């Protein structure tokens, strides 16, 4: 027992409290440092991204802005599409014909025979069959040349081709389109800046359909012209629907517009052809 005047002491261990406080401070400081470092890295990444966009000439777009831009680009491309058959346009003067070359058979040769187009701009031969267009030579002012060689010499802004009237009686549409595409592909290769117009072949009269010698049916012509339209669309060429322009109400070539054979044109019909071409050009 303790004496009366002595004091009692109770031992209390406080050595752990400073250690705990120290550890909490260290953890908090580390957290602040890590947070600051992460934030700095994030901001650097953002700045680099913006800088990269700026240097490359790009721009940051929202989702809606990107969709609008895509729609605009699509509309722009659609605006450059070829519309076939070539629709009615403001009629050009006949000086336009001097910038054109006309390729074909005797139907095309009539343009120069009747002096509607200068002979130097007409590359045509009587009896020229579509299966010979890539190989047969044609008489030109510069001598005998293939149609392709004559086109290269002329280098016209616009090329009008009408082939198939000779051949539709015995050649298949597939074969004729094959020869036609081979020729137009060659033209595109050597004259990439020229516009190519495919002229549908014209109708024939009712008498020619019933002829005992070399009859031609308008239904066969229509089917072939439909294949020409497909070829023009697939290969970015213009298609001029001359056939419809020359048809009467019965769907056939009028006897009054045709020559005696029911297939070739009289002089007045060539004027109709010229007027139709001048008022159906790509703008």
């Amino acid at each position: 027992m303790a004496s009366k005047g002595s004091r009692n002491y109770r031992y209390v261990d406080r050595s752990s409290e400073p250690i705990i406080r120290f550890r909490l401070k260290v953890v908090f400081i580390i957290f602040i440092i890590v947070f600051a470092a992460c934030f700095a890295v994030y901001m650097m990444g953002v700045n680099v991204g913006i800088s990269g966009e700026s240097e490359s000439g790009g721009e940051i777009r929202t989702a809606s802005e990107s969709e609008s831009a895509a729609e605009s680009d699509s509309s722009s491309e659609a605006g450059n599409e070829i519309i076939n058959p070539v629709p009615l346009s403001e009629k050009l003067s006949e000086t336009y014909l001097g910038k054109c070359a006309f390729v074909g058979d005797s139907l095309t040769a009539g343009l120069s025979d009747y002096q509607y187009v200068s002979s130097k701009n007409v590359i045509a031969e009587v009896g020229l069959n579509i299966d010979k267009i890539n190989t047969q030579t044609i008489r030109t002012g510069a001598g005998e040349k293939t149609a392709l060689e004559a086109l290269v010499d002329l280098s016209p802004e616009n090329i009008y081709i009408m082939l198939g009237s000779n051949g539709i009686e015995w050649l298949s549409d597939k074969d004729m389109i094959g020869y036609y595409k081979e020729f137009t592909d060659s033209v595109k290769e050597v004259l990439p800046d020229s516009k190519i117009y495919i002229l549908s072949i014209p109708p024939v009269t009712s008498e020619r359909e019933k002829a005992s010698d070399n009859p031609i049916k308008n239904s066969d012509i229509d089917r072939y012209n439909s294949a020409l339209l497909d070829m023009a669309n697939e290969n970015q060429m213009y298609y001029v629907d001359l056939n419809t322009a020359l048809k009467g109400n019965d769907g056939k070539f009028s006897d009054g517009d045709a020559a005696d054979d029911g297939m070739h044109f009289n002089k007045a019909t060539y004027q109709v052809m010229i007027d139709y071409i001048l008022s159906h050009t790509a703008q």
Side-chain angles (χ1 to χ4, degrees):
M1 175 182 272
S3 62
K4 231 178 192 188
S6 65
R7 296 179 179 178
N8 291 324
Y9 292 94
R10 185 166 59 89
Y11 177 76
V12 178
D13 185 6
R14 298 182 181 275
S15 62
S16 63
E17 291 181 7
I19 295 174
I20 293 173
R21 289 173 184 169
F22 175 78
R23 288 177 178 172
L24 287 174
K25 287 180 180 178
V26 170
V27 170
F28 181 76
I29 291 170
I30 292 173
F31 172 80
I32 293 298
I33 292 172
V34 170
F35 176 82
C38 291
F39 182 78
V41 170
Y42 169 77
M43 291 304 295
M44 288 176 62
V46 170
N47 289 334
V48 169
I50 294 174
S51 175
E53 288 288 341
S54 177
E55 290 175 358
S56 63
E59 58 181 4
I60 299 174
R61 293 177 176 173
T62 64
S64 60
E65 287 173 336
S66 296
E67 291 174 0
S68 297
E71 291 175 0
S72 176
D73 291 342
S74 176
S75 299
S76 176
E77 291 175 2
N80 293 328
E81 288 182 357
I82 290 176
I83 300 174
N84 282 324
V86 176
L88 181 67
S89 59
E90 182 178 355
K91 187 176 179 180
L92 301 177
S93 70
E94 293 190 3
T95 57
Y96 169 79
L97 301 175
K99 303 175 183 178
C100 304
F102 294 86
V103 179
D105 50 35
S106 55
L107 285 168
T108 301
L111 288 170
S112 58
D113 291 342
Y114 286 110
Q115 299 181 347
Y116 283 103
V117 179
S118 172
S119 59
K120 72 180 181 63
N121 295 82
V122 177
I123 303 169
E125 190 74 62
V126 174
L128 179 63
N129 295 332
I130 190 171
D131 58 339
K132 300 293 193 300
I133 187 61
N134 296 293
T135 56
Q136 183 174 326
T137 58
I138 297 170
R139 286 170 293 177
T140 72
E144 294 281 332
K145 293 180 178 289
T146 64
L148 184 62
E149 290 170 340
L151 283 171
V152 171
D153 289 345
L154 194 59
S155 295
E157 292 182 18
N158 310 285
I159 301 170
Y160 287 84
I161 309 171
M162 186 166 66
L163 292 165
S165 291
N166 291 328
I168 198 166
E169 302 166 55
W170 66 87
L171 289 171
S172 69
D173 292 349
K174 181 179 179 181
D175 287 342
M176 289 198 292
I177 294 298
Y179 295 125
Y180 218 130
K181 186 176 184 304
E182 182 183 349
F183 177 62
T184 54
D185 283 349
S186 298
V187 173
K188 284 182 175 184
E189 184 176 351
V190 295
L191 296 169
D193 296 327
S194 297
K195 290 180 181 177
I196 299 177
Y197 291 85
I198 305 300
L199 289 166
S200 60
I201 63 172
V204 295
T205 63
S206 177
E207 289 300 315
R208 183 57 187 259
E209 283 190 307
K210 297 180 290 186
S212 57
D213 184 28
N214 298 325
I216 300 175
K217 294 186 179 299
N218 280 299
S219 58
D220 292 339
I221 291 174
D222 291 342
R223 187 185 63 247
Y224 172 63
N225 282 335
S226 179
L228 282 180
L229 174 59
D230 290 340
M231 182 191 74
N233 286 332
E234 291 168 5
N235 295 277
Q236 291 293 293
M237 296 181 292
Y238 297 97
Y239 175 86
V240 179
D241 190 11
L242 181 64
N243 178 280
T244 298
L246 297 178
K247 276 183 178 178
N249 293 331
D250 60 355
K252 306 178 192 301
F253 200 18
S254 170
D255 292 333
D257 296 332
D260 292 340
D261 64 359
M263 173 182 173
H264 288 86
F265 302 169
N266 61 28
K267 183 176 180 179
T269 302
Y270 278 104
Q271 184 63 62
V272 174
M273 177 182 178
I274 290 297
D275 289 342
Y276 192 82
I277 287 173
L278 293 177
S279 59
H280 291 77
T281 57
Q283 301 300 301

